[in-house]
């Protein structure tokens, strides 16, 4: 909280253009509209930070910058498991590419043209995917 306030304050002073703080709040709205049906963000203490009851997909807590496939309570598809074993990290570039086309991303990442994602959703705008990344990173 204090860190977020400090960042917001610094941006206010510098008058920086599109700020991380703005992106993250855009991302919160996009998360509710596009992700919350299938995902929650719940921390280790069990507190729900975003979403409500979405269970079709894994918990996205701590996803920004972390290895793929870390929700121990979720049964991932074979394609995502293979990518995780190959060392897939959800850095911003991978996260955005995955959201734009999950099947295509897994196919090129694993080199397996038959790989499929269990996630039946695509984000149409790169800027939305970037805002989502900023939002999820802000919840770490
Ligand atoms: C229709 C349901 C659905 C929607 C909507 C959806 N997802 Fe998913 N998502 C899934 C499923 C199912 C998986 C598991 C994929 C697999 O195992 O192949 C997943 C996996 C993921 C992963 C990989 C997580 C990990 O643990 O490695 C990320 C990141 C992700 N989703 C982000 C998002 C974001 C951000 C949104 C909103 C734009 C979103 N998803 C919308 C169902 C959904």
């Amino acid at each position: 909280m204090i860190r977020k306030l400090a960042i917001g304050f610094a941006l206010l002073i510098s008058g920086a253009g599109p700020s991380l703080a703005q992106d993250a709040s855009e991302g919160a709205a996009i998360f509710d509209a596009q992700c919350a049906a299938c995902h929650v963000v719940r921390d280790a203490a069990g507190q729900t930070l975003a979403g409500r009851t979405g269970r079709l997909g894994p918990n996205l807590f701590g996803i920004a910058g972390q290895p793929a496939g870390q929700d121990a309570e979720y049964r991932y598809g074979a394609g995502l498991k293979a990518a995780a074993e190959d060392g897939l990290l959800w850095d911003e570039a991978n996260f955005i590419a995955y959201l734009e086309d999950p099947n295509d991303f897994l196919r090129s990442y694993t080199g397996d043209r038959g790989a499929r994602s269990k996630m039946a959703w695509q984000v149409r705008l790169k800027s939305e995917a970037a805002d989502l990344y900023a939002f999820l990173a802000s919840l770490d």
Side-chain angles (χ1 to χ4, degrees), residues 18-125:
S19 70
L20 178 67
Q22 274 169 348
D23 290 349
S25 65
E26 275 294 310
I30 299 166
F31 187 91
D32 280 345
Q34 296 196 34
C35 318
C38 298
H39 291 284
V40 289
V41 181
R42 188 170 292 139
D43 68 15
Q47 197 191 346
T48 301
L49 307 178
R52 286 169 301 278
T53 55
R55 284 277 159 77
L56 267 172
N59 176 7
L60 296 181
F61 181 70
I63 206 80
Q66 298 231 6
Q70 296 296 298
D71 180 352
E73 285 165 26
Y74 186 77
R75 290 169 62 94
Y76 290 96
L80 196 114
K81 273 198 236 165
E85 277 158 25
D86 287 354
L88 172 60
L89 275 183
W90 291 128
D91 59 19
E92 189 175 23
N94 285 336
F95 178 89
I96 290 173
Y98 177 75
L99 288 186
E100 287 186 300
D101 191 336
N103 282 329
D104 190 56
F105 176 82
L106 288 183
R107 282 168 197 165
S108 50
Y109 191 85
T110 60
D112 172 1
R113 292 176 57 191
R116 291 188 59 80
S117 173
K118 280 175 74 179
M119 174 158 140
W121 189 262
Q122 287 174 269
V123 173
R124 292 179 56 208
L125 298 175

